[in-house]
Amino acid sequence: MGAFNTLVLEQTCPACGRRIELGIQFKYGDTWPYEYSLGDLVRWGGNDIGRPGQKHVVVDGIAEHCSACDHELPDYEVHIENDRIARAVPQAGRYDFAAGGDTFIVLDE
Ligand SMILES: [Zn+2]
């Protein structure tokens, strides 16, 4: 239901130019209020979404507002490779999560 994980990314806010710790909410793995950084392994074994061990999955990431100026940041694609959070980049329309009706798309099993 409401539970989600948060990836914390160091980013520069495009509006105010400050370095911020941006929270990106995503639902994959054990959805629980876990906080992750880039390079972390996704945890499993609870309220799981998806399946462990996929080679490459892209997950819909909802960015929180800038903590300094409250600017609304774009959504992110969170790339998870072999259960490791490999990178996160702003979404540019490459993946249509709504069409699949899921919070993630498996690119390579
Ligand atoms: Zn800002």
Side-chain angles (χ1 to χ4, degrees), residues 13 15-17 66 68-71:
C13 172
C16 70
C66 172
C69 75
D70 203 37
H71 178 72

Side-chain angles (χ1 to χ4, degrees), residues 1-5 25-29 31 49-50 59-61 103-104:
M1 273 194 350
F4 51 81
N5 302 305
Q25 303 172 0
F26 69 98
K27 293 186 177 185
Y28 190 73
T31 48
I49 292 179
V59 183
D60 191 12
T103 60
F104 65 94

Side-chain angles (χ1 to χ4, degrees), residues 13-62:
C13 172
C16 70
R18 276 183 239 178
R19 291 295 284 175
I20 53 168
E21 294 209 325
L22 176 63
I24 296 168
Q25 303 172 0
F26 69 98
K27 293 186 177 185
Y28 190 73
D30 181 10
T31 48
W32 194 250
Y34 292 129
E35 214 173 85
Y36 290 108
S37 302
L38 285 180
D40 285 348
L41 281 170
V42 169
R43 300 186 204 194
W44 297 96
N47 187 22
D48 292 354
I49 292 179
R51 274 195 297 136
Q54 307 273 41
K55 281 197 190 119
H56 189 182
V57 179
V58 60
V59 183
D60 191 12
I62 311 299

